[in-house]
Amino acid sequence: MAKNPTNSSSNKKKLKQQVKQDSEDVNGDPEIWASFDQSFKQVQSVLDRNRVLIQQVNDNHQSKIPHNMVKNVALIQELNGNISKVVSLYSDLSSNFSTAFHNDDEQPKNSD
C-alpha cells in the first residue's frame, strides 16, 4: 500500500498546530521548566558517559589483550548502572511532567 504524501503533509501540519495550541495552553511556570531542563541535562550527561564507556569496551574488545578484556567487566557494570539511572531519571521526569500538567489543568484559566 503506497503512502499518500498529501495526507502525510496534512497530518504533520495538524500535529504542529496541535502542539502549538497545547504549548499556548500550558502555564509557563519557569521553575517547572527549569526542573525539566535540569533533568534532561542529567539524562544527557549519563548518555554521553555511556557513549564513552561503549567506545572503551569496543576498543578493549578489539585489542584482544587479556588485561583490557578484564577491564570490560567493570565498564559493562558501570554501563548497566547508568542504564538503570537513565530509566529512573526518565521515570521521575514522566511523573513530574504528569503532575505539573495535571496541576495546570486544575488551575482556572484566565479569559483574555
Side-chain angles (χ1 to χ4, degrees):
M1 185 187 309
K3 288 185 178 180
N4 183 341
T6 306
N7 241 356
S8 178
S9 176
S10 175
N11 288 341
K12 286 179 184 177
K13 286 180 184 176
K14 286 179 185 177
L15 180 60
K16 283 182 182 180
Q17 289 171 346
Q18 183 62 46
V19 168
K20 183 179 178 188
Q21 179 63 40
D22 288 347
S23 66
E24 289 171 356
D25 290 344
V26 174
N27 189 0
D29 185 341
E31 193 172 307
I32 291 172
W33 291 113
S35 172
F36 290 150
D37 185 55
Q38 181 61 31
S39 294
F40 281 118
K41 285 179 181 176
Q42 285 179 300
V43 168
Q44 189 60 53
S45 174
V46 175
L47 293 175
D48 290 342
R49 174 66 182 152
N50 282 357
R51 182 180 304 112
V52 171
L53 290 171
I54 291 167
Q55 186 59 54
Q56 287 177 313
V57 167
N58 286 335
D59 291 346
N60 288 345
H61 183 73
Q62 289 176 357
S63 76
K64 306 242 190 263
I65 298 171
H67 179 70
N68 288 348
M69 301 292 273
V70 171
K71 286 181 182 178
N72 278 355
V73 173
L75 295 174
I76 292 169
Q77 287 172 339
E78 184 179 346
L79 265 169
N80 190 43
N82 286 352
I83 290 168
S84 296
K85 189 182 296 185
V86 168
V87 168
S88 176
L89 288 167
Y90 273 131
S91 176
D92 292 346
L93 258 169
S94 175
S95 177
N96 293 342
F97 188 82
S98 295
T99 300
F101 283 90
H102 177 71
N103 290 342
D104 187 59
D105 286 344
E106 293 175 353
Q107 300 292 328
K109 301 285 183 193
N110 292 338
S111 51
D112 293 326

